């Protein structure tokens, strides 16, 4: 089969499968919380822009201590479709949006692998299929409004990083800064992309002879550009970026969630899980062939 036809069928099949089974996934407890955060964010932005609107929430309002890039898209879509009063419809449209974003991530992951193995025609598709057919990730691609969004943004920023390393142009660096900014605005671990990019560029200055000074200039420009790109999606920081930025990272690094988690029929306090919790969950949610 022609490779391009196979790629087209692969992604077409993904879309058809997703739209066919989107109703099979339920609602997680986190979705209502995140939706509320999104409404608070959109209303705050409207107030800052002087846009009159009817309040959609009652009671106390609070910002989430992390970015609202996804909610800033999902909430206006819900409002535009006039689904605010119908939980089935507004959760369904968010699940469809999640699923489409994962499709975008799969496409960019495929392009990343093509850059890595330009002469291995079928390897990129095989790698993309492995990502798609990871059960835990596939399920979260419908109903997870937080970590799944970070995965999508992380894959996108990884692609722009690899693309930049191939091209070494200012234009490619701008795209990578934008993608990194979006990743940072989804969850604080997106900062890893910022650190990795700077480490790669500055590391080249130490080990490449003669050193390419352009890389140093790119690193210096990249950091503020990525942070500025993240700021529009972080309304929590508007007006107090100096005092709040550090507290956000500190709070998320030591997030105090007092719930319980289940493992092998036993409930453990989330703040006191056994040492084997993480490897065990990786083991029970990852296909054995992937582990091997």
């Amino acid at each position: 089969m022609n490779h391009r036809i196979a790629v087209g069928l692969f992604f077409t099949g993904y879309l058809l499968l997703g739209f066919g089974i989107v109703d099979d996934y339920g609602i997680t407890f986190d979705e209502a919380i995140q939706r509320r955060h999104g409404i608070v964010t959109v209303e705050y932005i409207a107030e800052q822009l002087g846009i009159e609107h009817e309040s959609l929430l009652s009671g106390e309002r609070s910002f989430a201590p992390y970015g609202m890039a996804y909610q800033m898209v999902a909430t206006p879509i819900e409002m535009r479709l006039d689904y605010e009063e119908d939980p089935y419809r507004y959760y369904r449209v968010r699940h469809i949006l999640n699923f489409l974003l994962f499709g975008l991530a799969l496409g960019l992951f495929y392009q990343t692998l093509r850059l890595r193995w330009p002469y291995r025609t079928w390897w990129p598709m095989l790698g993309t299929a492995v990502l798609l057919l990871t059960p835990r990730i596939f399920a979260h691609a419908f109903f997870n409004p937080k970590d799944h969004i970070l995965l999508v943004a992380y894959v996108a920023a990884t692609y722009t990083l690899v693309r930049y390393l191939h091209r070494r142009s200012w234009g490619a660096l701008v795209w990578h800064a934008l993608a990194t900014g979006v990743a940072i605005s989804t969850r604080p671990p997106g900062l890893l992309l910022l650190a990795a990019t700077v480490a790669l560029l500055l590391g080249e200055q130490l080990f490449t002879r003669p050193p390419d000074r352009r890389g140093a200039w790119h690193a210096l420009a990249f950091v503020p550009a990525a942070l500025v790109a993240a700021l529009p999606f972080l309304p929590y920081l508007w007006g107090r970026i100096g005092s709040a930025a550090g507290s956000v990272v500190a709070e998320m690094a030591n997030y105090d969630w007092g719930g319980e988690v289940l493992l092998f029929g036993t409930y453990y306090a989330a703040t006191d899980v056994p040492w084997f919790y993480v490897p065990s969950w990786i083991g029970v949610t990852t296909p054995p062939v992937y582990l091997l």
Side-chain angles (χ1 to χ4, degrees):
M1 180 185 294
N2 180 278
H3 177 68
R4 290 189 176 181
I5 294 177
V7 172
L9 290 175
F10 177 87
F11 285 100
T12 300
Y14 168 78
L15 292 173
L16 293 175
L17 174 65
F19 279 109
I21 65 176
V22 64
D23 290 337
D24 296 339
Y25 292 90
I27 310 300
T28 62
F29 72 92
D30 222 10
E31 289 189 82
I33 298 172
Q34 293 303 306
R35 178 175 177 270
R36 184 178 180 87
H37 285 324
I39 294 174
V40 170
T41 300
V42 169
E43 290 193 342
Y44 173 74
I45 293 172
E47 291 170 2
Q48 295 299 305
L49 297 178
I51 301 174
E52 295 185 3
H53 64 281
E54 182 179 348
S55 179
L56 299 174
L57 290 176
S58 60
E60 184 179 353
R61 304 182 183 187
S62 61
F63 278 120
Y66 39 79
M68 286 281 106
Y70 170 74
Q71 297 298 337
M72 290 168 65
V73 174
T75 302
I77 291 176
E78 170 192 323
M79 294 177 176
R80 181 66 177 174
L81 295 173
D82 197 24
Y83 287 170
E84 299 98 316
E85 304 300 326
D86 189 337
Y88 168 76
R89 287 188 173 185
Y90 65 62
Y91 281 127
R92 188 176 192 272
V93 76
R94 288 165 182 268
H95 286 196
I96 291 174
L97 179 59
N98 282 14
F99 147 75
L100 292 176
L101 287 173
F102 187 52
L104 173 64
L106 290 173
L108 294 176
F109 190 67
Y110 172 78
Q111 293 297 331
T112 302
L113 298 185
R114 286 196 65 187
L115 290 173
R116 174 62 181 85
W117 289 290
Y119 305 110
R120 301 281 188 174
T121 306
W122 293 97
W123 285 25
M125 182 178 289
L126 175 62
T128 306
V130 169
L131 177 59
L132 171 63
L133 298 176
T134 304
R136 186 77 167 184
I137 293 177
F138 184 80
H140 280 249
F142 288 92
F143 56 69
N144 190 324
K146 293 196 300 185
D147 305 303
H148 163 67
I149 306 305
L150 172 61
L151 182 146
V152 172
Y154 207 100
V155 169
T158 300
Y159 165 68
T160 57
L161 173 58
V162 175
R163 180 175 177 268
Y164 162 74
L165 293 175
H166 275 72
R167 299 191 178 190
R168 303 292 177 143
S169 67
W170 283 103
L173 184 68
V174 169
W175 279 110
H176 180 48
L178 290 173
T180 302
V182 173
I184 293 171
S185 74
T186 58
R187 305 285 277 174
L191 290 167
L192 290 171
L193 289 160
L194 186 77
T197 302
V198 173
L200 284 169
L201 293 177
L202 296 185
E204 288 179 339
Q205 305 305 304
L206 298 176
F207 299 107
T208 302
R209 293 292 180 268
D212 183 2
R213 300 301 181 190
R214 180 179 56 177
W217 286 111
H218 282 188
L220 290 173
F222 169 74
V223 174
L227 294 177
V228 169
L231 192 57
F233 306 106
L234 293 165
Y236 179 79
L237 301 181
W238 294 358
R240 50 175 182 155
I241 185 169
S243 60
S247 65
V248 168
V249 176
E251 179 178 349
M252 297 305 296
N254 300 278
Y255 198 76
D256 186 20
W257 182 64
E260 291 183 320
V261 294
L262 177 65
L263 179 65
F264 299 140
T266 301
Y267 283 96
Y268 297 92
T271 54
D272 188 28
V273 295
W275 66 268
F276 53 85
Y277 178 80
V278 171
S280 295
W281 263 109
I282 292 175
V284 300
T285 58
T286 305
V289 66
Y290 293 178
L291 292 175
L292 292 174

